[in-house]
Amino acid sequence: SSLTSLEHLYLDNNNLGGTIHSNIFSNLTDLRELYLSFNMFQGAVPYLNNHNSLKSIMLHSNSFDKIRSDTFSGTVSLQYVVREYI
């Protein structure tokens, strides 16, 4: 979380699991892309609110069971959110 200038974070296809702390990405305000797909994450999708540069997030192929109503509030540049993969 101390990499505040990080723009692209690709953690997909790594067999990572468990819950993600709700505020783990809060300091990554320059984040443009976040790929978490094809892992074994569970619980709630982490907060990504007020990430003005965030354009795409991939969440599919995990076991997330909750998205809070304010998770994406303030993400004015958000173009793609993929939660389910069919």
Side-chain angles (χ1 to χ4, degrees):
S1 65
S2 63
L3 301 172
T4 56
S5 297
L6 189 67
E7 293 183 2
H8 308 277
L9 183 57
Y10 304 114
L11 297 174
D12 52 330
N13 294 304
N14 281 298
N15 292 319
L16 300 172
T19 58
I20 299 175
H21 188 275
S22 63
N23 294 321
I24 194 164
F25 302 115
S26 62
N27 291 333
L28 305 180
T29 55
D30 289 338
L31 202 59
R32 295 179 182 271
E33 295 180 314
L34 177 62
Y35 290 14
L36 300 175
S37 57
F38 296 107
N39 283 296
M40 296 176 284
F41 293 123
Q42 57 192 15
V45 172
Y47 285 116
L48 294 163
N49 51 351
N50 296 319
H51 283 69
N52 298 327
S53 300
L54 189 62
K55 292 189 181 213
S56 66
I57 178 170
M58 303 295 176
L59 302 170
H60 64 83
S61 303
N62 282 291
S63 295
F64 290 117
D65 60 2
K66 184 176 182 181
I67 298 178
R68 295 171 185 93
S69 61
D70 62 343
T71 295
F72 301 113
S73 66
T75 53
V76 294
S77 298
L78 194 60
Q79 297 174 358
Y80 301 102
V81 175
V82 178
R83 187 178 144 231
E84 298 287 332
Y85 185 72
I86 300 172

